[in-house]
Amino acid sequence: MRRADWHLRAHVLVLAWGVAAVVVALAHRWAPASGWLMVHLLLLGAASTAILVWSQHFADTLIRRAAPRRALLVRLAVHTAGSLLVVAGVVGRWTPVVVLGGTLVAGVAVDQAVRIARQGRGGLPTRFGHLARYYVAAGALLVPGVACGVLMARFPVGPDLHGRLAVAHVALSVLGWIGVTVAGTLVVLWPTVLHVRIDDPAERAARRTLPVLVAGVVVLAAGALAGVPAAAGLGAAVVVAGIGLLAVPLARLVRGARVGTFAVRSLAAAVAWWAGATAVLGVRVVVAPSWEAAAAGLSALTPALVVGFAAQVLVGSLSQLLPVVLGGGPAVSKETSALLNRGAEARFVLLNGALALFLAPVPSLVRVGVSVVGLGALVAFLVLAARAVLTARRLRAASGPGAVPLPAPARRDAAGGPADPVAGARRRGGAGVAVAGLLGVVVLGVGLDPAAAGLTSGAVAAAADGAPVAATGRTTTVEVEAQDMRFVPDRVEVPAGDRLVIRVTNADAAVHDLVLANGATSGRLGPGESADVDAGVVGADLDGWCSVAGHRLMGMTLDVVVTGGAAAADGADGGAGAPDHAAMGHGGTPTGDGASSAAEDVDLSGTAGTATGARDAVLPPLAETGPTTRRVTLRVQEQEQEVAPGVVQTVWTFGGTAPGPVLHGRVGDTFVVTLENDGSIGHSVDFHAGSLAPDDVMRTIAPGETLTYTFTATRSGIWMYHCSTMPMSLHIANGMAGAVVIEPAGLPEVDRQYVLVQSELYLGPQGGTADEQKLRDGAADLVVFNGVADQYRHDPLPAAVGERVRVWVLDTGPSRAGAFHVVGGQFDSVFREGDYTLRDGGSTGTGGAQVLALQPAEGGFVELTFPEAGHYPFVSHVMTDAERGARGVFEVAAAP
């Protein structure tokens, strides 16, 4: 095989990885692990394949000793196989496959590094032979980077260690493997694209840069793995210093050089993104409150590192190198160069402008639009590269034996572009067209979602389904008071298309304000003060809240409900009744209640996601009379859940809800529970309702694994189940607990039954998981019933005068005791931890109880009747916990 042919086939492989990344980007909503796939198809696939090819090519040139081509072909084949195994293993959740693939990838890097090192020892002394050491160092850094990635992807590690591994993985794999390779290659590639000679300052800088870059990457990774943020930040600063040490002398070569090609622009921008993203990474690691938060910040930097740096340096380099690979002589090379430089200005501006806007705090629709534009700029390169390959083949065939000689490519400038002045002007004007296009995307995105951009006024508003709602010209004015840590009323209605003005009066002794989701606000109001909040033309429901610290968590929220338009038709209940919790996917219980079935199959793998209404607390009655086998599937999932108004946390769930679904049965029932781990770390389950050796059934299973847990309920009560994987407190606090209600024999029927599971929340960053330090300190932010603070204050539990109501209560902790109390109510029966402490008023028939006191993992039930219609608050009488959200209301109607 000719040198040009095997180089070309290798680059077809690079382009194939790029096409795969584009396909996943277009179909990301339907692709499993799409975010991970896009990044790794580009970096592990396309970028790493290009590195293997071109680092060996430049090493051969710099050392002036060619390595055996067969060895490189074998490395490419093994690397491709290893990369495909990693991708398949992560998507399919096959840990051994991921480990095997990672081992192959790391082995290829080691093999190439060792071979280039040996090649250098036997080569001729040359001025730039030392640059081959960059490739040796890069290969050595990839090995621990792969190890970190494999540990993160398929082994159970806690959030703290996962965050440290993530930072180290990026440092070693992106800044090390890719960054160090790019640095060594730029020393010779940059002067080539500029068509200038390398000067002495650039060469001296190249000798000094390698140890600085390697030291910075190692310190950054080691600091992360050791859990020392300051060391990691120092390492990032050293990497930035190394980039600057090399970039400054290379930048001086630009003076007097040709800078109009796509390669020049892309390589320069890639280095800028590389340095900027590394600097921001260092700062975020230092200031982050935890390593989990640092990893979340790292995710926000992924577009800058992957697209701005890695993808851009790849397409920039290939724009210069692909014509060399295609061969065919000067005429073919100029023709393919001209193809690869088509729309250079426009593509460059679109890619970098779209990326900058994507990273900026812009409305989500703008982010969607610019991401499509940026992807289009990358796809344009793939199309032009494919055309260049076909054009080169056609021209080479036309210039073969007996063919008519090709005419010289007349009227071309030195950069390979058209020499025609008008065409050149069009090319130079591409930047203006690209900027105009980006501005158009921004304007369109803001126009479709003005509220997200803080624009609340105008003649047309958007409804909940995105359809326009014309302004009616009317103004609806409502009055709202802030009192007793609530807005009264806490729900206001406005006809679709009306301008809404909310007149807020602070009737409380504390300072309050009102903030709407579209940005309108009253400002801070002292006692007795009033202000008007102009919400503008309203076309869709709006959330409002008091932004004073802690007030929103305590229930100071306001719902603006649109009536008479699409929003009302699509979901607003207009206050006519309670939400349809079954339709929302809330409150499912594994009872099935089949009247004649002796066995039940229940799949509790639903996806509740972010709460859209109060969780259904109703416990339906059991229909079976004899022992029943209840088959249950609990799927571990990582979900975002709204735990207080506007407060979203990523919780670990059994079956899509936190706390997990209620299991319900009687003494003698057998539960066959299938646990499926669809999470990213190891989990387990421990059922207190069963009595059996924990060795096997309570073991931790890795992501993708399942186990079957069978137990027979031999004793009554409300029992806790939870994940028992260490640290157990974190798994419970992050949502992995639930209740099993086992009714005692002869339990009388009641008119209504409810289940309330009390738990604590230790809030991490918005969208993040529980804060481990708060958990260790016992500093709970919220104490809640059924996973959401204050939800039953706004969606009261119904009852009627004279009805007998049974309330099952379980304290899942992990650390705080509970004291369940109904304000205005008295319990005539109390069942705690398997027995009655009071039944039907006790021995006198007139005895009562005021509280059900529970330690963590304890449970029971209380029974009461309500004497008159009204609103009866229920709380944990640990009053600081009630103020943290452990409260609700029974709404008691008059007797029917």
Side-chain angles (χ1 to χ4, degrees):
M1 189 186 301
R2 296 187 307 114
R3 175 178 176 274
D5 288 337
W6 76 261
H7 255 292
L8 179 58
R9 294 186 182 184
H11 283 81
V12 169
L13 182 59
V14 173
L15 296 178
W17 282 110
V19 169
V22 169
V23 170
V24 172
L26 293 173
H28 68 279
R29 290 186 178 274
W30 304 278
S34 58
W36 184 93
L37 269 179
M38 285 186 281
V39 170
H40 288 78
L41 288 173
L42 187 59
L43 300 187
L44 181 61
S48 294
T49 300
I51 285 173
L52 291 174
V53 174
W54 284 105
S55 59
Q56 185 63 69
H57 169 83
F58 280 107
D60 292 348
T61 304
L62 296 168
I63 299 170
R64 296 185 181 177
R65 182 187 181 192
R69 192 175 306 155
R70 182 181 299 275
L72 177 57
L73 292 175
V74 171
R75 285 199 295 274
L76 285 175
V78 175
H79 175 81
T80 302
S83 301
L84 290 173
L85 287 173
V86 170
V87 169
V90 169
V91 173
R93 301 181 180 275
W94 302 316
T95 298
V97 175
V98 176
V99 173
L100 175 59
T103 302
L104 293 178
V105 170
V108 167
V110 170
D111 182 70
Q112 178 140 316
V114 170
R115 287 178 181 273
I116 291 178
R118 290 177 178 173
Q119 187 180 357
R121 287 199 297 269
L124 298 174
T126 63
R127 179 185 177 189
F128 298 105
H130 64 91
L131 294 177
R133 298 171 190 163
Y134 279 83
Y135 308 133
V136 176
L141 291 171
L142 180 61
V143 177
V146 170
C148 291
V150 170
L151 284 173
M152 275 195 306
R154 298 309 305 152
F155 288 90
V157 295
D160 182 77
L161 180 56
H162 186 277
R164 287 186 279 148
L165 287 169
V167 174
H169 177 59
V170 169
L172 294 164
S173 302
V174 180
L175 305 182
W177 166 243
I178 297 177
V180 172
T181 299
V182 167
T185 304
L186 279 177
V187 177
V188 290
L189 181 60
W190 181 248
T192 302
V193 299
L194 293 175
H195 295 276
V196 298
R197 295 179 61 84
I198 306 176
D199 59 12
D200 290 336
E203 186 205 347
R204 289 194 298 271
R207 292 181 180 275
R208 295 193 296 266
T209 298
L210 177 60
V212 176
L213 283 179
V214 172
V217 170
V218 170
V219 172
L220 171 53
L225 292 174
V228 184
L234 175 63
V238 173
V239 172
V240 174
I243 297 171
L245 185 64
L246 182 65
V248 170
L250 290 180
R252 294 195 187 103
L253 299 178
V254 173
R255 290 177 295 189
R258 298 183 307 176
V259 295
T261 65
F262 183 73
V264 171
R265 294 186 176 99
S266 291
L267 291 175
V271 173
W273 284 110
W274 178 22
T278 305
V280 174
L281 168 62
V283 172
R284 288 192 169 181
V285 167
V286 171
V287 303
S290 66
W291 285 102
E292 183 182 9
L298 182 62
S299 297
L301 284 175
T302 298
L305 286 170
V306 174
V307 178
F309 170 48
Q312 193 158 214
V313 82
L314 179 64
V315 298
S317 300
L318 292 183
S319 295
Q320 174 68 28
L321 298 172
L322 200 54
V324 177
V325 171
L326 295 174
V332 176
S333 180
K334 286 189 176 182
E335 192 70 28
T336 53
S337 293
L339 267 174
L340 291 168
N341 275 286
R342 284 193 178 177
E345 280 189 0
R347 288 190 286 132
F348 171 77
V349 172
L350 287 175
L351 178 59
N352 289 277
L355 180 57
L357 286 170
F358 185 85
L359 295 171
V362 296
S364 60
L365 286 180
V366 175
R367 288 167 61 90
V368 171
V370 297
S371 65
V372 172
V373 170
L375 180 63
L378 291 175
V379 170
F381 168 77
L382 294 176
V383 173
L384 292 173
R387 288 187 60 188
V389 171
L390 297 175
T391 299
R393 285 184 173 178
R394 175 176 56 81
L395 295 178
R396 284 206 308 266
S399 62
V404 177
L406 289 172
R411 301 176 67 181
R412 297 273 172 179
D413 64 16
D420 174 67
V422 177
R426 283 200 300 266
R427 188 180 70 251
R428 287 191 296 272
V433 174
V435 170
L438 289 170
L439 289 176
V441 171
V442 173
V443 171
L444 180 62
V446 171
L448 291 174
D449 190 7
L455 305 176
T456 60
S457 61
V460 177
D465 60 0
V469 176
T472 63
R474 299 189 301 264
T475 297
T476 295
T477 301
V478 296
E479 293 190 358
V480 171
E481 286 190 348
Q483 61 181 26
D484 298 328
M485 287 296 175
R486 294 197 69 179
F487 289 113
V488 181
D490 60 4
R491 182 180 187 276
V492 299
E493 295 183 354
V494 56
D498 275 19
R499 176 175 171 234
L500 174 65
V501 176
I502 304 175
R503 184 161 297 151
V504 185
T505 300
N506 185 3
D508 213 343
V511 174
H512 295 297
D513 64 8
L514 173 62
V515 176
L516 298 179
N518 62 9
T521 180
S522 65
R524 293 294 169 91
L525 300 175
E529 293 182 344
S530 298
D532 287 345
V533 180
D534 189 346
V537 177
V538 180
D541 296 353
L542 280 174
D543 292 331
W545 60 89
C546 177
S547 68
V548 176
H551 290 193
R552 185 178 188 179
L553 295 181
M554 295 180 70
M556 285 202 73
T557 60
L558 176 72
D559 294 327
V560 176
V561 178
V562 173
T563 62
D570 287 344
D573 63 14
D580 184 352
H581 298 291
M584 295 176 184
H586 293 284
T589 58
T591 58
D593 297 328
S596 61
S597 174
E600 300 177 15
D601 292 286
V602 184
D603 186 354
L604 300 178
S605 59
T607 55
T610 300
T612 56
R615 173 167 166 164
D616 192 353
V618 172
L619 181 68
L622 293 170
E624 306 85 358
T625 57
T628 298
T629 298
R630 305 179 184 275
R631 302 185 184 276
V632 178
T633 297
L634 289 177
R635 183 170 297 133
V636 176
Q637 296 171 305
E638 296 171 359
Q639 303 269 102
E640 283 194 347
Q641 180 167 304
E642 192 175 47
V643 298
V647 181
V648 176
Q649 295 284 275
T650 297
V651 292
W652 303 335
T653 72
F654 290 115
T657 63
V662 177
L663 278 63
H664 189 192
R666 291 192 178 93
V667 172
D669 287 356
T670 298
F671 290 80
V672 180
V673 181
T674 300
L675 181 69
E676 299 179 355
N677 188 356
D678 280 353
S680 61
I681 62 175
H683 292 292
S684 57
V685 66
D686 171 6
F687 284 96
H688 293 189
S691 179
L692 68 171
D695 303 63
D696 180 61
V697 293
M698 300 182 197
R699 72 183 186 276
T700 296
I701 60 172
E705 295 182 354
T706 63
L707 67 75
T708 299
Y709 190 130
T710 302
F711 68 91
T712 298
T714 58
R715 300 183 185 277
S716 62
I718 178 169
W719 302 86
M720 181 177 176
Y721 69 89
H722 61 91
C723 179
S724 57
T725 300
M726 297 300 290
M728 200 180 305
S729 60
L730 178 62
H731 287 248
I732 295 173
N734 220 51
M736 301 198 74
V740 180
V741 174
I742 304 298
E743 296 186 2
L747 184 68
E749 292 185 4
V750 292
D751 297 295
R752 297 179 189 268
Q753 285 197 99
Y754 295 108
V755 177
L756 298 174
V757 177
Q758 179 180 315
S759 61
E760 305 132 36
L761 296 174
Y762 303 84
L763 300 179
Q766 180 78 342
T769 55
D771 187 302
E772 294 182 57
Q773 188 59 51
K774 291 180 183 177
L775 180 59
R776 285 192 291 268
D777 296 341
D781 295 288
L782 300 173
V783 180
V784 300
F785 290 126
N786 291 347
V788 181
D790 288 325
Q791 61 181 318
Y792 302 117
R793 288 185 67 196
H794 307 297
D795 287 280
L797 301 180
V801 173
E803 287 184 338
R804 189 160 188 81
V805 178
R806 179 180 297 136
V807 185
W808 294 84
V809 185
L810 174 69
D811 184 346
T812 62
S815 301
R816 301 177 73 89
F820 182 74
H821 170 70
V822 177
V823 179
Q826 296 177 333
F827 309 142
D828 59 40
S829 295
V830 177
F831 182 96
R832 178 178 176 274
E833 284 296 284
D835 200 2
Y836 285 94
T837 60
L838 177 69
R839 187 170 189 176
D840 296 330
S843 59
T844 66
T846 58
Q850 59 198 309
V851 73
L852 172 61
L854 301 171
Q855 291 294 322
E858 287 189 337
F861 67 76
V862 295
E863 294 179 4
L864 75 164
T865 57
F866 295 98
E868 58 185 5
H871 293 82
Y872 294 75
F874 60 84
V875 299
S876 169
H877 220 286
V878 180
M879 293 311 301
T880 55
D881 290 349
E883 292 162 1
R884 289 184 173 100
R887 55 190 173 179
V889 174
F890 285 109
E891 188 172 61
V892 179

